[in-house]
Structure formats: C-alpha cells, structure tokens
Amino acid sequence: MATNVEVFTRKIVSENPATGEQLYEFDCASDDEVWTAVERAKLAQPGWNAIGVEKRVTYLKKFQSLLLDRKKDISEAITREAGKPYAEALLTEVLVVLDTTRFLIDTAYGFLRDQPVPHGNLAMKAKRGWIVREPHGVIGIIAPWNYPFSTPAAETLSALVTGNTVVLKPSEFTPGIGLELERLLREAGIPRDAFQVVVGDGRTGAALVESAVDKIVFTGSVATGKKVAQSAGARLIPVVLELGGKDPMLVLEDVDLDVASSAAVWGAFMNAGQTCLSVERCYVHRSIYPKFVEACVEKARKLHVGNGMDPEIEVGPMIHERQLRVVEEHVEDARAQGARVLVGGARLPEKGRNFYAPTVIADVTHDMKLMREETFGPVLPIAAFETEDEAVQLANDSEFGLAASVWTRNRKRGEEIARRINAGTVMVNDVLSCFGISEAPHGGSKASGIGRTHGRLGMEEMVRIKYMDSDLMPGMKKVWWYGYGEAFARQMEGFVDLLFTRSLMTKLRSGLKAAGVVKRKGQL
Ligand code: NAD
C-alpha cells in the first residue's frame, strides 16, 4: 500500500497551447490508484508473457493498421494538445510509431529466441550454454509533453512485445494523447491490465517510481531524471533515463551553404525548438560565418508562425508560459553579454499567448546560459570557430551529450570528427532524423541520460538476461571438485600450461601431466 495520505484531490487541466482552449480536466491518480494499477499489471503479466511472442505480434499488427486508419485524427489530437504543426505530428509522431511497430513486428520473435553462447574453455566442453531474454515484469513509463505520442508509444510497444505489462504516466500537459494511445491499444485487443494509463502530475509520476514496478523508463528533464534515479536507486530497480540535450551542429568550411543553413533552421525551430534533439548550438567555420548567419536569418524571417492546425504553419506555439520564460531569460542574458539578436528575440502576442518568434543570435559564447543550459525554444545561437580541434572542443564543452551533427561535403572527414564527439548519436550531414530510424538506438551520454530506447538496444532494456547452462554429462563429477592434494595441484598446473602455452613441446608435456586428473582418486 502507498504510505502517503493524500488530503486533497489534485487536478490537471490540459489546454490547446495555440488558443488557450481548455481540452481536458482530470483528477490526478492518487498514490493508491497508481499502486492498484501496478498490482493489476503484476497479476496480468505472467498470462501476457505466456501467450507468446507470435500472439503479441498479432496485437501489434492490429494496432498498426488501426493507427494507419486513424493517422489524421491522432495527428490532429497531437497538434491540439501539444501545439506542433500537423505535418510534424504526422511525421515525427504517427509515422515514427508506425515504423517502430513495423520494426518490432519484424524482429521481436528473433530477438526473444534463445541465443547460444559458444565457449572456448576446454574444461567446460561438456556444457552447452545460452542466453534467455525474460521480461522484467511491469514497466513504468513516464513521458514528456514534447513527443507525447511517439515517445511513450515506442517504449510501450517494445515493453509489451517482449512480455512485460505497462503502466504509463503521460505528461500533465498532454494526458489526452496518453489516453488516445490507450484507446488504440485496447481496440487492438491488448488486455486491459496489460496496458494502463494513470493520469496526473509529478507526484503521480513519483508514486509510480515508488510503486512495485520492476523498471522505470523515464523521459523528461535532467532535474526530474535525477529524482527518478534516486527513488529507483532506493528500491534498486533499473531505470532508463532519456533526458535533455544541448545538441551542437558543426558546420565546416566546405559545406553547401544553402543546405546547411536550411538544416540549422529546421533543426532549431522544428516543434518550436522543443525537441530533445534540437540544434541548440551552432558552430560555423569563420570563413563562411557571415554568409551562413545571413542565410539563417533570411530563412527564419520567412517561417510561418501560428496555430499548427493551419497546414501553412511551420512553427507552432510553445507549450506553456514557464517554457517561454526560460527562452526569454536565455535570450536576454545573451543580449546583455554582447550577442547580436538578428531576427526574433521576442514574443508574438498577436498570435496568442504562447508564441515566440524564431530567433537567430550571432556571436554567442560559452559564458552565456544560451550555450550552457537547455533552452528548449525556437532559438538558433551561432558562433564561429577557426580550427577543427576548436570545433570539437566546443561541441564537447557541455554537460549534455544527447546528439550532434557534423556538416561537410567530405564525408570521411565528417565521420572522423563525429568519432571525437561525446554524444549518444552523431549525424553527418543531417539533423534529428535519427529518431525516425526505428533500428537506431536513441539515448545520450553525460547528463543526457542512461540507457537506450528504440532499436534492438531499446528492446534489450525491456528484458533481463538469464544465462542457462546445461551439462551434457550428468553422471560425472567435475574434476575440479573437492579432494585436492599435491597430485591434483601438479595436474592442474599441467592443465593451465596445456591451455595457454605457445610452445608445442610444453603443451605435450603439460597434457601428459594433466591427464592423470581424469582418473582422479580420493575425490569427494
Ligand atoms: P519533466 O521532467 O518536467 O516531466 C517529465 C515527466 O516526469 C512528466 O510526466 C512529469 O509529470 C513527470 N514528473 C515530474 N516530477 C516527477 C517526479 N518527481 N517523479 C516522477 N515523475 C515526475 O520534463 P518535460 O518538461 O515534460 O519534458 C521536457 C524535457 O524532456 C526536456 O528536458 C527534453 O529534452 C526532455 N526530453 C528528452 C527526450 C530524450 O529522448 N532524451 C525526449 C523528449 C524530451
């Protein structure tokens, strides 16, 4: 049972960030409700696992076809609650989930097949071993608002297909999308207790971490991630933490300026800059710096800002006032320290209360918050570099390590630089799209998190590894068991030499010395 007594019912209200229209109001799930959901998920898990992967894959296929049919409705619901333009909702959320489902359908069976472990230890030759992948049990998933559908859906499907049951806590800003996911999964035939949603705020999330879940997959800010890790640490349950980023983009002197500047603008302003993989720092070779900055400014000016339901709109609102204030604080701090705000740099109240203009800022330095803390808004800060070494040093000078990109026409050079950057993903000549490759692992180093989602490595997070060993000679005592003595010690010396000496003569001599062990006397 939960230990904390709740006196008041807490409420969450979700709004359309473009219009302020109230969409949903929910009571936060109480600690007891969270615990009950987890208990139910625990009871349901053995049965869900027992139906086998082929059957679970059939549910995924049904889910995929339902999602395909409803792609428009789901994308619109995402735009309404999270604000991103409809095209982005379709491509970065619905399409990502359809493709993740395809990946899981294609690979789950092979992934869960026992994996033989051939070995080279002569003494153990009478043994066969293999790795068995077993579900953890109940996976608690805590999701953010910025990818309210693709993030929890990809994690949920990976957890379910590997035999876990799931309790999801969506963000308090996008509970409606979490419930859309629940509706789709239910309709696909997933049993009620195999996937449950508990709506609520941070406290509801904390209750989930403190409940009887067997693993937590958390996506959100570094500050919350640390709390989740501490709480999970107290129960010694494993966690995956997908946290923030401050992704650098390195633009070398030989790039196609038009292509690279378009990438910088899209990478910085997509989802109004509220993407963990957003370009948050742009470093450009001094020789092309003025031209590159000019191209970005020109392109930023042309962007259509407004309600994402309008298909012409390219940049939607930010999620809420608190996020706007962070952006304002970073921009003002940079301005005060001498950076040049070339376009944007202010709210757009005429569009609605949550709009901030796409902003390009030149001559930024690492003394500014804009280059050190996650801004998470439509801001593209640009700085110049002189040498490749300096560019790499600047890219690595961050507490974050989620992703990065290197831009050059010389792919070999780009790939060499990519190896020197400390990040979970480094793309050469593209930004962000790695999230759309279902086979690619997603996750960061340093403060950007622990563990991976997506791809085979994401599936590995959903299982615990069991090594199984089967002895082929059950009627024989092992030679290394008790009954030691002088003769045994000499035989074992011979055996060790036999295994590892490089001299043929010594090998032969050692083999003879060791042979006596087979007819060992006095063994217990
Ligand atoms: P957040 O940390 O405020 O909230 C994330 C989730 O945690 C929400 O569901 C929230 O209710 C819950 N929560 C809050 N306090 C909690 C607690 N004490 N215990 C358990 N759960 C708690 O983050 P956010 O503002 O929703 O999301 C934005 C952040 O997420 C950004 O930093 C972004 O970079 C990051 N993010 C990372 C990835 C990634 O894959 N690395 C993806 C998307 C977003």
Side-chain angles (χ1 to χ4, degrees), residues 13 57 111 117 229 245 496:
V13 175
V57 162
F111 173 76
V117 180
V496 171

XYZ file of all heavy atoms in Angstrom, residues 13 57 111 117 229 245 496:
48
model
N -5.243 20.178 -15.860
C -6.071 20.718 -16.938
C -5.175 20.817 -18.159
O -4.103 21.408 -18.094
C -6.587 22.130 -16.565
C -7.354 22.737 -17.734
C -7.454 22.060 -15.320
N 2.627 -10.274 -31.312
C 2.874 -9.595 -32.595
C 1.559 -9.376 -33.354
O 1.393 -8.345 -34.020
C 3.919 -10.392 -33.421
C 3.878 -10.004 -34.889
C 5.320 -10.162 -32.860
N 14.492 -11.724 -31.716
C 15.140 -11.132 -30.536
C 14.939 -12.012 -29.301
O 15.845 -12.173 -28.478
C 14.566 -9.730 -30.295
C 15.022 -9.094 -29.028
C 16.298 -8.553 -28.925
C 14.196 -9.048 -27.912
C 16.733 -7.971 -27.743
C 14.621 -8.478 -26.728
C 15.892 -7.940 -26.645
N 25.554 -19.574 -26.512
C 26.815 -18.916 -26.131
C 27.939 -19.935 -26.317
O 28.246 -20.705 -25.407
C 26.768 -18.437 -24.658
C 28.077 -17.757 -24.271
C 25.599 -17.487 -24.436
N 15.962 8.744 -10.599
C 17.079 7.810 -10.401
C 17.303 7.554 -8.912
O 17.570 6.416 -8.500
C 18.344 8.375 -11.043
N 19.019 17.778 -23.833
C 20.167 17.894 -24.730
C 20.540 19.348 -24.959
O 19.792 20.272 -24.603
N 46.704 -25.923 -16.895
C 46.766 -24.488 -17.207
C 47.811 -24.238 -18.303
O 47.569 -23.501 -19.263
C 47.067 -23.662 -15.932
C 47.354 -22.210 -16.276
C 45.899 -23.763 -14.958
